[in-house]
Amino acid sequence: MKGFFVIRPAILALIFLAACSSGMTGYPLLFPGASLGTAASDSGYALRRGAVEITVKSGYPAILTEIDAGGGPILTQAMDQAGVPAQDRPTRIIQLQSDMALYQANPAALVAAIMVYGKEP
């Protein structure tokens, strides 16, 4: 019975530490599969975001005009790259139009907004 009381505080400490973490990815030695999945997911996101960023920044004045007009080829390309579902795009364009002042001053904010609307393939 003495061993039980010695181990119990250690188990409680592990439970409290796990509760304070942001997820299993903080413990790659305990959950190696979780960290591999996160790495693959992060690299996929980074590739999509990089493509969207190149599209937005290389056609920046034109994409702002397209947002204002309700669509266009550059905006469509950026949304395709981000994985924005086709049925969501009219609503997302209205949302982009409502925040136009922010995007006119900050292309990175536009990239982030488009990525938020996207879904992983």
Side-chain angles (χ1 to χ4, degrees), residues 90-100 103 117:
T91 303
R92 301 309 180 196
I93 291 171
I94 291 168
Q95 289 172 320
L96 292 173
Q97 289 170 338
S98 69
D99 291 327
M100 227 15 206
Y103 306 133
Y117 300 147

Side-chain angles (χ1 to χ4, degrees), residues 23-106:
M24 289 191 292
T25 59
Y27 302 100
L29 295 176
L30 297 175
F31 306 105
S35 62
L36 292 176
T38 301
S41 168
D42 288 347
S43 67
Y45 176 84
L47 288 173
R48 287 183 326 164
R49 184 180 174 94
V52 171
E53 188 167 353
I54 289 169
T55 299
V56 167
K57 289 184 177 179
S58 65
Y60 187 61
I63 200 168
L64 292 176
T65 302
E66 290 179 7
I67 291 169
D68 196 40
I74 299 170
L75 181 58
T76 299
Q77 180 181 353
M79 288 185 164
D80 285 344
Q81 292 166 332
V84 179
Q87 67 272 17
D88 293 352
R89 293 181 185 190
T91 303
R92 301 309 180 196
I93 291 171
I94 291 168
Q95 289 172 320
L96 292 173
Q97 289 170 338
S98 69
D99 291 327
M100 227 15 206
L102 171 66
Y103 306 133
Q104 287 173 340
N106 190 347

